[in-house]
Protein backbone atom coordinates (compact mmCIF):
# COMPACT_ATOMS: atom_id res chain seq x y z
CA UNK A 1 0.00 0.00 0.00
CA UNK A 2 1.44 3.40 -0.89
CA UNK A 3 2.17 5.73 2.03
CA UNK A 4 -0.64 8.21 1.24
CA UNK A 5 -3.23 5.48 0.92
CA UNK A 6 -2.05 3.87 4.16
CA UNK A 7 -2.34 7.20 5.97
CA UNK A 8 -5.85 7.78 4.59
CA UNK A 9 -6.84 4.28 5.66
CA UNK A 10 -5.56 4.87 9.21
CA UNK A 11 -7.35 8.22 9.48
CA UNK A 12 -10.56 6.57 8.29
CA UNK A 13 -10.11 3.77 10.85
CA UNK A 14 -9.49 6.26 13.66
CA UNK A 15 -12.60 8.24 12.74
CA UNK A 16 -14.73 5.09 12.59
CA UNK A 17 -13.28 3.90 15.91
CA UNK A 18 -14.14 7.22 17.60
CA UNK A 19 -17.62 7.41 16.00
CA UNK A 20 -18.44 3.84 17.03
CA UNK A 21 -17.50 4.37 20.67
CA UNK A 22 -17.89 8.02 21.59
CA UNK A 23 -21.65 7.80 22.25
CA UNK A 24 -21.54 5.20 24.98
CA UNK A 25 -18.32 6.63 26.42
CA UNK A 26 -19.90 10.08 26.77
CA UNK A 27 -22.95 8.52 28.42
CA UNK A 28 -20.74 6.74 30.99
CA UNK A 29 -18.76 9.91 31.76
CA UNK A 30 -21.91 12.05 31.98
CA UNK A 31 -23.54 9.65 34.42
CA UNK A 32 -20.55 9.83 36.71
CA UNK A 33 -19.82 13.54 36.38
CA UNK A 34 -23.30 14.97 35.81
CA UNK A 35 -21.61 17.67 33.74
CA UNK A 36 -21.34 17.71 29.96
CA UNK A 37 -18.12 19.71 29.67
CA UNK A 38 -16.31 17.56 32.22
CA UNK A 39 -17.67 14.44 30.53
CA UNK A 40 -16.23 15.56 27.19
CA UNK A 41 -12.85 16.15 28.88
CA UNK A 42 -12.98 12.68 30.40
CA UNK A 43 -13.75 11.08 27.03
CA UNK A 44 -11.00 13.02 25.32
CA UNK A 45 -8.50 11.89 27.97
CA UNK A 46 -9.80 8.35 27.73
CA UNK A 47 -9.20 8.15 23.97
CA UNK A 48 -5.60 9.29 24.50
CA UNK A 49 -5.11 6.56 27.10
CA UNK A 50 -6.77 3.97 24.88
CA UNK A 51 -4.55 4.76 21.90
CA UNK A 52 -1.48 4.89 24.09
CA UNK A 53 -2.30 1.53 25.68
CA UNK A 54 -3.76 -0.31 22.69
CA UNK A 55 -0.42 -1.89 21.87
CA UNK A 56 -0.22 -3.41 25.36
CA UNK A 57 -3.85 -4.55 25.50
CA UNK A 58 -3.57 -8.22 26.40
CA UNK A 59 -7.10 -9.29 25.59
CA UNK A 60 -7.85 -10.56 29.09
CA UNK A 61 -11.20 -8.79 28.78
CA UNK A 62 -13.09 -7.58 25.73
CA UNK A 63 -11.80 -4.38 24.16
CA UNK A 64 -15.03 -2.60 25.17
CA UNK A 65 -14.67 -3.69 28.82
CA UNK A 66 -11.08 -2.42 28.84
CA UNK A 67 -12.15 0.90 27.27
CA UNK A 68 -15.04 1.13 29.72
CA UNK A 69 -12.70 0.88 32.73
CA UNK A 70 -10.50 3.60 31.22
CA UNK A 71 -13.36 6.06 30.74
CA UNK A 72 -14.70 5.28 34.23
CA UNK A 73 -11.26 5.99 35.73
CA UNK A 74 -10.86 9.22 33.75
CA UNK A 75 -14.30 10.43 34.86
CA UNK A 76 -13.55 9.57 38.50
CA UNK A 77 -10.24 11.43 38.32
CA UNK A 78 -12.05 14.57 37.12
CA UNK A 79 -14.74 14.07 39.77
CA UNK A 80 -12.12 13.94 42.55
CA UNK A 81 -10.59 17.18 41.31
CA UNK A 82 -13.89 19.06 41.03
CA UNK A 83 -15.30 20.93 44.01
CA UNK A 84 -17.91 19.04 45.98
CA UNK A 85 -21.36 20.58 46.11
CA UNK A 86 -23.40 20.78 49.30
CA UNK A 87 -25.54 17.68 49.57
CA UNK A 88 -28.55 16.64 51.60
CA UNK A 89 -28.11 13.71 54.00
CA UNK A 90 -29.38 10.32 52.84
CA UNK A 91 -30.98 9.34 56.18
CA UNK A 92 -34.47 10.78 55.53
CA UNK A 93 -34.68 8.57 52.43
CA UNK A 94 -33.82 5.35 54.29
CA UNK A 95 -36.44 2.93 55.72
CA UNK A 96 -37.73 3.63 59.23
CA UNK A 97 -38.45 1.08 61.97
CA UNK A 98 -40.23 1.31 65.31
CA UNK A 99 -38.72 0.25 68.67
CA UNK A 100 -39.58 -3.41 68.07
CA UNK A 101 -37.94 -3.44 64.64
CA UNK A 102 -41.16 -3.28 62.58
CA UNK A 103 -41.11 -1.41 59.31
CA UNK A 104 -42.92 1.92 59.66
CA UNK A 105 -42.93 2.72 55.98
CA UNK A 106 -46.35 2.93 54.40
CA UNK A 107 -47.03 0.02 52.14
CA UNK A 108 -47.22 0.70 48.47
CA UNK A 109 -50.29 -0.10 46.49
CA UNK A 110 -48.83 -1.07 43.19
CA UNK A 111 -50.98 0.41 40.51
CA UNK A 112 -51.41 -1.48 37.30
CA UNK A 113 -48.02 -1.07 35.63
CA UNK A 114 -47.54 2.59 36.61
CA UNK A 115 -44.60 2.72 34.23
CA UNK A 116 -47.11 2.60 31.39
CA UNK A 117 -48.21 6.11 32.41
CA UNK A 118 -44.83 7.34 31.31
CA UNK A 119 -42.98 6.80 28.07
CA UNK A 120 -39.72 4.89 28.26
CA UNK A 121 -37.84 8.12 27.66
CA UNK A 122 -39.74 9.87 30.48
CA UNK A 123 -39.01 7.03 32.87
CA UNK A 124 -35.34 7.04 31.92
CA UNK A 125 -35.13 10.80 32.48
CA UNK A 126 -36.96 10.51 35.83
CA UNK A 127 -34.64 7.77 37.01
CA UNK A 128 -31.60 9.70 35.84
CA UNK A 129 -32.75 12.84 37.71
CA UNK A 130 -33.45 10.91 40.90
CA UNK A 131 -30.04 9.22 40.79
CA UNK A 132 -28.47 12.67 40.53
CA UNK A 133 -30.22 13.66 43.78
CA UNK A 134 -28.34 11.03 45.78
CA UNK A 135 -25.31 12.17 47.79
CA UNK A 136 -22.16 11.60 45.76
CA UNK A 137 -20.60 8.81 47.84
CA UNK A 138 -23.78 6.75 47.36
CA UNK A 139 -24.52 7.86 43.80
CA UNK A 140 -21.11 6.82 42.47
CA UNK A 141 -21.39 3.32 43.92
CA UNK A 142 -24.91 2.87 42.55
CA UNK A 143 -23.72 3.98 39.10
CA UNK A 144 -20.60 1.81 39.10
CA UNK A 145 -22.37 -1.31 40.40
CA UNK A 146 -25.89 -1.19 38.98
CA UNK A 147 -25.39 0.74 35.75
CA UNK A 148 -21.77 0.26 34.73
CA UNK A 149 -21.82 -3.34 35.94
CA UNK A 150 -18.58 -3.35 37.95
CA UNK A 151 -18.20 -5.99 40.67
CA UNK A 152 -18.10 -5.11 44.37
CA UNK A 153 -14.37 -5.89 44.42
CA UNK A 154 -13.69 -3.64 41.41
CA UNK A 155 -15.62 -0.74 42.95
CA UNK A 156 -13.82 -1.23 46.27
CA UNK A 157 -10.47 -1.16 44.48
CA UNK A 158 -11.26 1.94 42.40
CA UNK A 159 -12.65 3.90 45.34
CA UNK A 160 -10.11 2.53 47.83
CA UNK A 161 -12.73 1.40 50.34
CA UNK A 162 -13.59 -2.05 51.74
CA UNK A 163 -15.97 -4.50 50.05
CA UNK A 164 -18.35 -4.28 53.01
CA UNK A 165 -18.39 -0.50 52.77
CA UNK A 166 -19.32 -0.79 49.08
CA UNK A 167 -22.19 -3.14 49.99
CA UNK A 168 -23.50 -0.90 52.77
CA UNK A 169 -23.45 2.19 50.56
CA UNK A 170 -24.97 0.31 47.62
CA UNK A 171 -27.90 -0.91 49.71
CA UNK A 172 -28.49 2.58 51.13
CA UNK A 173 -28.30 4.10 47.65
CA UNK A 174 -30.83 1.58 46.29
CA UNK A 175 -33.16 2.13 49.27
CA UNK A 176 -32.96 5.89 48.91
CA UNK A 177 -33.53 5.71 45.16
CA UNK A 178 -36.54 3.46 45.70
CA UNK A 179 -37.97 6.15 47.97
CA UNK A 180 -37.27 8.88 45.44
CA UNK A 181 -38.85 6.82 42.66
CA UNK A 182 -42.09 6.17 44.53
CA UNK A 183 -44.07 8.64 42.37
CA UNK A 184 -43.02 6.61 39.34
CA UNK A 185 -43.36 3.18 40.92
CA UNK A 186 -46.84 3.49 42.38
CA UNK A 187 -49.15 5.22 44.77
CA UNK A 188 -49.21 5.16 48.53
CA UNK A 189 -51.94 3.67 50.55
CA UNK A 190 -51.80 6.46 53.15
CA UNK B 1 -58.97 5.10 74.71
CA UNK B 2 -56.15 5.03 72.27
CA UNK B 3 -57.13 4.98 68.64
CA UNK B 4 -55.71 1.68 67.41
CA UNK B 5 -55.52 1.68 63.63
CA UNK B 6 -55.23 -1.63 61.78
CA UNK B 7 -51.71 -0.65 60.83
CA UNK B 8 -50.48 -0.12 64.39
CA UNK B 9 -52.28 -3.30 65.47
CA UNK B 10 -50.52 -5.19 62.72
CA UNK B 11 -47.20 -3.78 63.91
CA UNK B 12 -47.93 -4.94 67.45
CA UNK B 13 -48.77 -8.42 66.19
CA UNK B 14 -45.57 -8.44 64.19
CA UNK B 15 -43.46 -7.41 67.16
CA UNK B 16 -44.81 -10.43 69.10
CA UNK B 17 -44.45 -12.77 66.12
CA UNK B 18 -40.89 -11.66 65.39
CA UNK B 19 -39.80 -12.89 68.83
CA UNK B 20 -40.61 -16.48 67.87
CA UNK B 21 -37.68 -18.82 67.12
CA UNK B 22 -36.25 -18.48 63.58
CA UNK B 23 -38.07 -15.19 63.10
CA UNK B 24 -36.39 -11.88 62.41
CA UNK B 25 -37.62 -8.29 62.63
CA UNK B 26 -38.15 -6.06 59.58
CA UNK B 27 -35.01 -4.18 60.59
CA UNK B 28 -32.98 -7.41 60.57
CA UNK B 29 -34.63 -8.39 57.28
CA UNK B 30 -33.51 -5.07 55.83
CA UNK B 31 -29.88 -5.79 56.67
CA UNK B 32 -30.02 -9.07 54.68
CA UNK B 33 -31.62 -7.74 51.47
CA UNK B 34 -28.45 -7.07 49.52
CA UNK B 35 -26.91 -10.45 50.31
CA UNK B 36 -30.20 -12.20 49.55
CA UNK B 37 -30.37 -10.61 46.11
CA UNK B 38 -26.74 -11.45 45.42
CA UNK B 39 -27.20 -15.05 46.58
CA UNK B 40 -24.70 -14.64 49.41
CA UNK B 41 -26.89 -15.92 52.28
CA UNK B 42 -26.27 -19.35 53.78
CA UNK B 43 -29.15 -21.84 53.29
CA UNK B 44 -30.23 -21.27 56.91
CA UNK B 45 -30.12 -17.47 56.58
CA UNK B 46 -32.04 -17.70 53.30
CA UNK B 47 -34.73 -19.84 54.92
CA UNK B 48 -35.11 -17.34 57.80
CA UNK B 49 -35.19 -14.42 55.35
CA UNK B 50 -37.86 -16.08 53.22
CA UNK B 51 -39.91 -17.01 56.28
CA UNK B 52 -40.10 -13.32 57.20
CA UNK B 53 -40.99 -12.51 53.62
CA UNK B 54 -43.94 -14.92 53.80
CA UNK B 55 -45.44 -13.39 56.96
CA UNK B 56 -44.70 -9.69 56.42
CA UNK B 57 -46.70 -7.89 53.72
CA UNK B 58 -44.79 -4.63 54.27
CA UNK B 59 -41.44 -6.24 53.60
CA UNK B 60 -42.84 -8.11 50.59
CA UNK B 61 -44.05 -4.83 49.09
CA UNK B 62 -40.79 -3.14 50.04
CA UNK B 63 -38.63 -5.81 48.40
CA UNK B 64 -40.75 -5.77 45.25
CA UNK B 65 -40.33 -2.01 44.87
CA UNK B 66 -36.63 -2.23 45.73
CA UNK B 67 -36.18 -4.75 42.89
CA UNK B 68 -38.19 -2.60 40.52
CA UNK B 69 -36.12 0.47 41.30
CA UNK B 70 -33.00 -1.60 40.71
CA UNK B 71 -34.29 -2.80 37.33
CA UNK B 72 -35.04 0.80 36.30
CA UNK B 73 -31.53 1.79 37.37
CA UNK B 74 -29.96 -1.05 35.38
CA UNK B 75 -31.94 0.02 32.30
CA UNK B 76 -29.91 3.26 32.32
CA UNK B 77 -27.04 1.14 31.02
CA UNK B 78 -28.62 1.12 27.55
CA UNK B 79 -28.71 4.89 27.23
CA UNK B 80 -26.13 6.31 24.89
CA UNK B 81 -25.43 9.99 24.69
CA UNK B 82 -27.49 11.22 21.75
CA UNK B 83 -25.64 14.40 20.90
CA UNK B 84 -22.02 13.95 20.01
CA UNK B 85 -20.56 17.28 18.86
CA UNK B 86 -18.45 17.12 15.71
CA UNK B 87 -15.83 19.40 17.27
CA UNK B 88 -15.29 16.86 20.05
CA UNK B 89 -14.61 14.12 17.49
CA UNK B 90 -12.34 16.53 15.61
CA UNK B 91 -10.44 17.41 18.81
CA UNK B 92 -9.95 13.74 19.69
CA UNK B 93 -8.68 12.94 16.19
CA UNK B 94 -6.45 16.03 16.16
CA UNK B 95 -4.88 14.96 19.48
CA UNK B 96 -4.39 11.49 18.01
CA UNK B 97 -2.49 12.97 15.06
CA UNK B 98 -0.36 15.26 17.25
Amino acid sequence: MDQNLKMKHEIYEDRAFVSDNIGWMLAVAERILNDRMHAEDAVQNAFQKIWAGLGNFEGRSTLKTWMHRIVVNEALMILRRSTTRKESPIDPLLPQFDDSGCRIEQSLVVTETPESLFSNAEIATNVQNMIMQLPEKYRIILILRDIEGLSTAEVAQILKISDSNVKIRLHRARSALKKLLEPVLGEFNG
Amino acid sequence: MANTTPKSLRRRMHSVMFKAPMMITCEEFESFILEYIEGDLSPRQKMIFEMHLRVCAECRAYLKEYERARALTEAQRNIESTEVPDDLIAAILAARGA
Side-chain angles (χ1 to χ4, degrees):
Chain A
M1 200 184 291
D2 91 32
Q3 203 57 34
N4 266 349
L5 199 62
K6 187 168 178 263
M7 204 188 292
K8 274 185 186 167
H9 182 69
E10 281 171 2
I11 290 168
Y12 174 78
E13 279 197 337
D14 285 348
R15 179 170 285 280
F17 179 68
V18 172
S19 300
D20 286 350
N21 293 289
I22 195 166
W24 69 261
M25 287 171 70
L26 257 181
V28 170
E30 265 194 288
R31 277 197 288 267
I32 293 173
L33 290 160
N34 194 23
D35 179 283
R36 180 66 185 211
M37 295 298 286
H38 282 158
E40 289 185 7
D41 288 346
V43 169
Q44 220 168 332
N45 296 344
F47 270 109
Q48 300 313 308
K49 293 260 167 72
I50 288 162
W51 274 317
L54 210 49
N56 301 322
F57 174 62
E58 292 171 346
R60 278 185 288 195
S61 61
T62 66
L63 184 62
K64 188 170 178 180
T65 303
W66 177 71
M67 291 167 66
H68 181 260
R69 298 301 183 265
I70 291 175
V71 74
V72 164
N73 278 322
E74 288 303 316
L76 288 173
M77 271 169 66
I78 291 175
L79 188 70
R80 285 184 200 116
R81 284 202 297 267
S82 60
T83 48
T84 45
R85 63 197 162 100
K86 194 168 168 17
E87 291 172 325
S88 311
I90 200 167
D91 294 9
L93 298 171
L94 298 179
Q96 306 292 313
F97 305 92
D98 66 15
D99 291 343
S100 46
C102 287
R103 193 178 292 280
I104 295 174
E105 187 163 345
Q106 293 165 300
S107 58
L108 273 173
V109 170
V110 177
T111 54
E112 193 183 339
T113 59
E115 288 99 320
S116 64
L117 299 172
F118 301 91
S119 71
N120 285 342
E122 281 174 319
I123 291 170
T125 307
N126 270 326
V127 174
Q128 204 169 6
N129 292 339
M130 297 309 175
I131 290 172
M132 291 310 168
Q133 287 185 33
L134 297 174
E136 191 176 293
K137 72 175 186 177
Y138 298 98
R139 184 176 65 85
I140 290 301
I141 288 179
L142 184 84
I143 289 172
L144 295 179
R145 271 290 320 261
D146 285 352
I147 305 180
E148 305 308 337
L150 272 65
S151 69
T152 298
E154 283 176 304
V155 176
Q157 192 189 2
I158 288 175
L159 300 179
K160 298 182 174 61
I161 56 176
S162 66
D163 284 16
S164 58
N165 213 336
V166 171
K167 287 181 183 176
I168 290 167
R169 289 192 205 175
L170 175 65
H171 178 60
R172 286 186 183 166
R174 285 176 177 171
S175 301
L177 184 65
K178 176 207 152 292
K179 185 87 178 168
L180 289 168
L181 284 174
E182 271 163 5
V184 180
L185 293 172
E187 290 172 354
F188 271 116
N189 182 20
Chain B
M1 199 174 118
N3 180 20
T4 309
T5 64
K7 202 168 276 182
S8 63
L9 180 64
R10 199 161 59 233
R11 277 217 295 271
R12 272 167 47 203
M13 284 165 62
H14 273 180
S15 67
V16 173
M17 191 163 60
F18 294 161
K19 286 178 184 138
M22 304 285 278
M23 292 299 289
I24 52 173
T25 64
C26 301
E27 198 165 4
E28 289 163 332
F29 174 91
E30 178 76 26
S31 65
F32 284 124
I33 289 177
L34 187 79
E35 281 155 318
Y36 175 74
I37 288 172
E38 302 205 339
D40 289 339
L41 293 181
S42 69
R44 184 184 151 85
Q45 286 172 322
K46 187 168 178 269
M47 186 188 75
I48 292 171
F49 183 94
E50 287 174 346
M51 205 185 293
H52 181 94
L53 203 54
R54 273 199 293 277
V55 300
C56 181
E58 281 85 357
C59 285
R60 267 201 309 278
Y62 181 86
L63 187 63
K64 191 174 175 184
E65 296 311 306
Y66 181 99
E67 291 273 37
R68 240 160 125 202
R70 191 167 69 104
L72 287 173
T73 308
E74 285 178 354
Q76 294 275 308
R77 199 176 292 175
N78 304 321
I79 298 172
E80 282 205 1
S81 189
T82 46
E83 286 173 41
V84 178
D86 289 341
D87 60 349
L88 178 62
I89 297 178
I92 290 166
L93 290 169
R96 163 72 160 157

